Amino acid sequence: EVQLVESGGGLVQPGGSLRLSCAASGFTFSPFWMHWVRQAPGKGLVWVSRITSDGSNTIYADSVQGRFIISRDDAKSTLYLQMNSLRAEDTAMYYCARANYGSRGAGDAFDIWGQGTMVTVSS
Amino acid sequence: SYELTQAPSVSVSPGQTASITCSGDKLGDKYACWYQQKPGQSPVLVIYKNSKRPSGIPERFSGSNSGNTATLTISGTQAMDEADYYCQAWDSSTGVFGGGTKLTVL
């Protein structure tokens, strides 16, 4: 079964750090660009970050630029999101998602999503 | 920054056609895709590259994109289609989602 399973969420104080993981199974992880998307409680989807298949290129939403780092370990078929200097507004369900159907990003769509891991930033 | 605008809610009677729109500057020059999200569940891709359906998505789901507007059309809407729907596109390699439309089937 093709799936993504996130872990690492939890309660953290403002200014703290957290590392999320996303374990892929059921498909060959390495060729795919991967993304993180978040959703605050009761709110809409917000794109967070993307990493290319070889890990050489990353990009971030302005709201997390300089605080979050996306990375991947193809040997472990795992995607990561290191979150630093966390703020209350980072409270959200974090989803990892596989990009597919496009060509070097253009036309990509998220065809596989994990179940999400909840991050709560509060004192 | 690029923005995609969706109506907060749309209502449709069972068996009728639902149209959910997504507007953005020159959106027709980009690829649009659509996601369905039911309460407590992860999003599901229903349309990619404006009008293509992933495997397993019913034929009643269709899409179009022209000018400044992308449209998701659900023909013969069923009760199971009640959900939030999000459009999404790319702008300078960053992902952009619309605010979402809650589809109510009543």
Side-chain angles (χ1 to χ4, degrees), chain B residues 76-93:
Chain B
T77 307
Q78 301 182 9
M80 68 173 65
D81 300 329
E82 187 163 286
D84 293 326
Y85 290 86
Y86 295 89
C87 61
Q88 184 252 316
W90 298 98
D91 180 65
S92 300
S93 298

Side-chain angles (χ1 to χ4, degrees), chain A residues 11-92:
Chain A
L11 175 63
V12 61
Q13 293 187 339
S17 298
L18 215 52
R19 188 176 85 152
L20 307 183
S21 300
C22 167
S25 61
F27 68 98
T28 303
F29 180 70
S30 55
F32 291 94
W33 291 21
M34 297 294 296
H35 298 250
W36 289 97
V37 175
R38 69 184 181 184
Q39 185 172 36
K43 303 298 185 181
L45 301 171
V46 176
W47 176 85
V48 173
S49 182
R50 179 267 291 155
I51 187 167
T52 53
S53 53
D54 64 0
S56 65
N57 190 279
T58 58
I59 191 168
Y60 302 90
D62 289 345
S63 58
V64 306
Q65 177 73 50
R67 299 187 299 123
F68 290 12
I69 301 172
I70 188 172
S71 62
R72 62 191 295 159
D73 184 339
D74 287 354
K76 296 182 178 180
S77 295
T78 300
L79 176 73
Y80 301 101
L81 187 67
Q82 177 68 43
M83 303 187 297
N84 302 321
S85 303
L86 282 162
R87 307 166 180 168
E89 53 264 36
D90 295 318
T91 294

